[in-house]
Amino acid sequence: MTTGPGTPAVEVRDLRVELGGAQILAGVDLTVAVGEWVTVIGPNGAGKSTLLRAVGGLLSAPGAVSLFGTPIQSLRRRDRARVVATVAQSPVVPAGMSVLDYVLLGRTPYIPTLGRESAADLAAVHEVLDRLDLPGFGRRELATLSGGERQRVFLARALAQGATLLLLDEPTSALDIGHQQEVLELVDQLRREHELTVVATMHDLSVAGEYADRMVLLAGGRVAAVGSPQEVLTEDLLARHYRAHVRVVPGTHGPLVVPVRPH
Ligand SMILES: Nc1ncnc2c1ncn2[C@@H]1O[C@H](COP(=O)(O)OP(=O)(O)O)[C@@H](O)[C@H]1O
Ligand SMILES: [Mg+2]
């Protein structure tokens, strides 16, 4: 990989995506520095998940996406998996699979074809399960977990993958406010300790602003605003693009967005 000083973790140039005959992304540009946390917001259907899928290489967009200086289409699947890990908005839960086996899927890029997981792979899995407050969950069947527990298992799989770029599509939407904070604090701590880069989408705008270095407001498949939480979370922009009546009040870690009734 051709990383040098100043090479961004993510570089998206003029990303256009058409799905089912409709233009979903209409020329999106985005640069994310190594170690940065960027959160993409925008109304339902704005194209947030589509953008994350393209950045993760789950959607073909030749020439539009580079990760750490390498065009994503020239990374082989296994190499890509060591670079970028995605937690999808609603991951498929394989029937009958245990938590341990599910999180072990994150180690696939390190396991030789037709080989078995090593002791190091298992150790990595147990370590993330502990970190995510899931010790003893390994033998449980994934389908029997609560929404919040399952969400933490999805994150565990991504962390076990050991990728330096994490793409989190609404990672906290199934969580109560306590677990939301716990998961986001953990991601932020890991980011600092391991120089991870985080690109997330989130619907809770106050929470989004508290954890993001920068925010991108996506609307109708285009970038409507990009900048610090203070620059993006304004009453004017949110009224215009969400048709929402909100008050924005200053908070310690970023603006707090409070919905208020229109009349
Ligand atoms: N496979 C697909 N075929 C057709 N349209 C799609 C497909 N996937 C997503 N879309 C459409 O693209 C738009 C953006 O979707 P998405 O990226 O999931 O938005 P968001 O995550 O911001 O809510 C939506 O209108 C959605 O219906
Ligand atoms: Mg989405």
Side-chain angles (χ1 to χ4, degrees):
M1 224 154 291
T2 54
T3 38
T7 306
V10 178
E11 180 125 55
V12 175
R13 282 289 158 264
D14 197 31
L15 172 62
R16 291 161 192 273
V17 175
E18 229 180 72
L19 293 173
Q23 180 105 58
I24 309 301
L25 295 178
V28 169
D29 293 323
L30 172 68
T31 305
V32 183
V34 173
E36 198 177 19
W37 182 323
V38 170
T39 296
V40 182
I41 61 165
N44 295 134
K48 304 179 297 293
S49 294
T50 305
L51 173 60
L52 253 60
R53 282 161 54 79
V55 172
L58 304 174
L59 201 86
S60 163
V65 179
S66 291
L67 301 182
F68 302 95
T70 304
I72 194 162
Q73 71 272 12
S74 61
L75 285 169
R76 281 177 311 175
R77 210 182 146 86
R78 273 173 99 84
D79 295 331
R80 191 180 74 210
R82 293 170 192 240
V83 172
V84 56
T86 300
V87 179
Q89 193 171 341
S90 324
V92 178
V93 178
M97 187 175 262
S98 73
V99 168
L100 186 78
D101 285 337
Y102 183 80
V103 179
L104 252 179
L105 289 175
R107 301 302 297 173
T108 308
Y110 304 93
I111 299 171
T113 315
L114 304 178
R116 277 193 65 82
E117 70 273 5
S118 68
D121 293 319
L122 283 168
V125 165
H126 284 295
E127 198 208 314
V128 284
L129 286 177
D130 284 350
R131 294 201 76 148
L132 283 166
D133 199 21
L134 294 165
F137 274 74
R139 286 178 193 281
R140 286 277 299 276
E141 192 181 322
L142 188 50
T144 67
L145 269 52
S146 76
E149 289 160 352
R150 208 180 295 174
Q151 192 63 37
R152 279 180 286 147
V153 171
F154 297 148
L155 189 63
R157 173 185 165 172
L159 292 173
Q161 202 173 311
T164 50
L165 171 60
L166 276 182
L167 306 179
L168 309 175
D169 197 354
E170 295 189 28
T172 54
S173 45
L175 304 179
D176 63 61
I177 54 173
H179 281 108
Q180 267 186 27
Q181 276 182 344
E182 210 173 282
V183 162
L184 294 173
E185 286 297 328
L186 174 71
V187 171
D188 197 46
Q189 187 193 338
L190 292 165
R191 172 172 78 117
R192 289 164 200 285
E193 285 172 9
H194 302 284
E195 257 226 326
L196 302 182
T197 305
V198 178
V199 181
T201 73
M202 249 175 255
H203 272 302
D204 186 316
L205 301 176
S206 302
V207 175
E210 285 192 296
Y211 287 89
D213 297 316
R214 274 190 313 134
M215 300 181 84
V216 175
L217 171 57
L218 210 59
R222 295 173 197 276
V223 174
V226 57
S228 67
Q230 286 78 6
E231 289 168 319
V232 174
L233 296 176
T234 67
E235 290 174 6
D236 184 44
L237 280 170
L238 299 178
R240 193 157 1 130
H241 296 289
Y242 282 87
R243 298 181 188 192
H245 293 260
V246 299
R247 288 279 166 274
V248 175
V249 293
T252 316
H253 301 285
L256 301 176
V257 179
V258 186
V260 290
R261 286 184 70 169
H263 303 294

